Amino acid sequence: VNLNARTITSDALYNNSPCTESTIESDADYCTQLKQENRHAFKVASALSKTTPLPVNQFSETEKDHGRITQRNIKIYPISPFEANLSHAQTLIVIQRCVEEKGKDSDDTSFYISSHPITRGVKYFATLIRGHWNGCEIQNHWNRDANLGEDKTRIRDFNINCNLSSL
């Protein structure tokens, strides 16, 4: 498969050095979600978003759909591969979501790391991440998780995870 100039988006299961390195070696870029499983990168991302006074760029959008109102605030910050503990990391993307549904409010913050330069701009990253959720997570991942329990796996072996992702 020729991945030249493509972007691989992934959820937190694949935010590890072997996955990001193989993506870069294939002449592609990555944008991967961070969760607490990658403790180092998650802590750094959380701290950077709280202590850095101003993001490089930010964007807000509101969506009214399915009986709920979702407000997303997307911010981008520079990050080094050393800080992220992921090869070729350049951009930290922080998405803060506020959802109002049936009179109840909920807040959520998600972190993503990308090998794309920060100069791509906040709208580029917002579109990339929304595309991942609409294409992979909603249409594909939910089915794999509901039927195969993918999110419950604690396997950290690179080859096994690659095989799981190919199902």
Side-chain angles (χ1 to χ4, degrees):
V1 177
N2 181 2
L3 298 178
N4 189 10
R6 302 281 198 272
T7 300
I8 306 301
T9 60
S10 63
D11 62 11
L13 186 61
Y14 306 101
N15 72 4
N16 56 61
S17 291
C19 287
T20 58
E21 287 171 14
S22 76
T23 300
I24 296 299
E25 288 169 5
S26 300
D27 293 324
D29 283 289
Y30 65 83
C31 183
T32 185
Q33 187 175 22
L34 296 177
K35 288 191 179 173
Q36 292 188 6
E37 288 84 4
N38 186 330
R39 288 177 181 84
H40 175 80
F42 185 85
K43 285 180 184 177
V44 168
S46 181
L48 270 174
S49 70
K50 292 175 185 170
T51 59
T52 304
L54 294 174
V56 170
N57 204 337
Q58 58 186 347
F59 170 70
S60 294
E61 62 184 2
T62 302
E63 181 180 89
K64 297 177 183 179
D65 201 9
H66 304 290
R68 64 180 171 250
I69 300 170
T70 304
Q71 172 73 39
R72 287 183 197 84
N73 297 309
I74 302 109
K75 301 175 183 179
I76 56 175
Y77 302 87
I79 193 167
S80 72
F82 176 76
E83 289 173 307
N85 199 29
L86 292 170
S87 62
H88 296 84
Q90 294 189 56
T91 304
L92 166 65
I93 304 103
V94 180
I95 301 179
Q96 297 168 311
R97 287 181 206 82
C98 298
V99 179
E100 180 185 318
E101 184 174 21
K102 297 179 183 175
K104 295 181 182 178
D105 293 339
S106 63
D107 296 327
D108 177 68
T109 301
S110 297
F111 302 100
Y112 297 81
I113 297 285
S114 179
S115 59
H116 280 296
I118 202 164
T119 54
R120 288 286 184 128
V122 70
K123 287 186 179 182
Y124 172 81
F125 292 110
T127 301
L128 189 66
I129 292 165
R130 291 290 287 163
H132 170 77
W133 283 102
N134 287 334
C136 295
E137 294 294 337
I138 294 170
Q139 295 177 14
N140 178 31
H141 178 77
W142 179 88
N143 192 24
R144 290 190 340 215
D145 187 43
N147 293 312
L148 302 174
E150 183 183 57
D151 281 349
K152 293 178 184 174
T153 183
R154 294 295 170 237
I155 298 168
R156 296 292 173 247
D157 182 273
F158 175 72
N159 291 324
I160 292 173
N161 284 332
C162 287
N163 288 333
L164 281 174
S165 70
S166 68
L167 296 177

